[in-house]
């Protein structure tokens, strides 16, 4: 569900954005926080350590596979407090307002940047990050706050699949009954509807054969193929349909 994959690489805006990414190596990121997460919260340090230097070999390999780097409000404030700037904690927090610190000057977060593999498998990456926050930072599941493009994309994916599972069968039944009303023949309806179902399954198979993944845009391909196939009957044989 990345809009960059839907547009031409020749568009001026896309070229400008690609140049920005190339110059600054900006990656997609997930913002992580929880209740009472502040600039002096040691849990931010533990989270950073777990994501970059975890003692659990299997988890460390997954983190290296999905995550590029971590920036926390805790580290950013202390970097500004160190020489040569040597700012006070209040001044450092004020400079980071709107970035890693909210306007109250205390509440903070961690920003976890994803590698390309993490962007391609965002659900696995986000779930891994959520589990690490729960285990290492001792935050209950309902207290974990995640935001960012990967989280939005994962939510869209999940809701799209849930909607398809919920409405696929009822919509097919409705289309079948409408087709029967138009054709006035159970046999002809079965033949035409069977062809439409075959086209629907073929469209889904072509997505996989072409190496693409189902997303919020391609999720409309199966029902669209079904409806268009049946609609062609109205165009090619209006007399037979009683129009």
């Amino acid at each position: 569900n990345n809009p960059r994959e839907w547009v031409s690489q020749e568009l001026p805006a896309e070229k400008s954005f690609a140049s920005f990414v190339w110059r600054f190596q900006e990656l997609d990121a997930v913002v992580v926080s929880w209740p009472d997460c502040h600039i002096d919260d040691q849990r931010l340090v533990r989270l950073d350590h777990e994501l970059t230097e975890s003692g659990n070999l299997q988890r460390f390999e997954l983190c290296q596979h999905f995550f590029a780097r971590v920036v926390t409000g805790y580290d950013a404030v202390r970097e500004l407090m160190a020489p040569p700037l040597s700012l006070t904690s209040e001044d450092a927090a004020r400079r980071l307002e709107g970035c890693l610190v909210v306007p109250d000057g205390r509440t903070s977060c961690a920003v976890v940047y994803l590698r390309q593999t993490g962007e391609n498998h965002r659900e696995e990456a986000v779930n891994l990050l959520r589990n690490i926050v729960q285990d290492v930072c001792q935050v209950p599941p309902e207290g974990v706050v995640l935001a960012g493009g990967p989280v939005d994309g994962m939510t869209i994916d999940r809701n799209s699949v849930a909607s398809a599972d919920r409405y696929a069968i009822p919509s097919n039944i409705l289309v079948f009954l409408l087709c029967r009303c138009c054709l006035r023949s159970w046999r002809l309806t079965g033949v035409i509807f069977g062809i439409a179902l075959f086209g629907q399954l073929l469209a889904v198979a072509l997505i996989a054969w072409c190496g693409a993944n189902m997303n919020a845009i391609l999720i409309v391909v199966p029902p669209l193929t079904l409806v268009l196939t049946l609609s062609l009957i109205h165009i090619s044989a209006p007399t037979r349909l009683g129009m």
Side-chain angles (χ1 to χ4, degrees), residues 142-161:
E142 64 275 8
V144 181
V145 180
L146 302 176
V151 179
D152 296 337
M154 183 192 71
T155 304
I156 293 173
D157 289 342
R158 187 175 296 169
N159 290 336
S160 298
V161 172

Side-chain angles (χ1 to χ4, degrees), residues 19-35:
S19 176
F20 176 86
V21 173
W22 180 81
R23 291 175 181 273
F24 298 99
Q25 297 297 307
E26 187 63 27
L27 303 173
D28 213 348
V30 177
V31 179
V32 186
S33 189
W34 51 82

Side-chain angles (χ1 to χ4, degrees), residues 207-218:
I207 295 175
W209 290 343
C210 293
N213 295 321
M214 188 67 73
N215 55 44
I217 301 299
L218 294 179

Side-chain angles (χ1 to χ4, degrees), residues 84-98:
L85 294 179
S86 301
L87 299 179
T88 64
S89 177
E90 292 76 11
D91 289 338
R94 190 176 302 112
R95 289 200 178 189
L96 293 172
E97 281 186 10

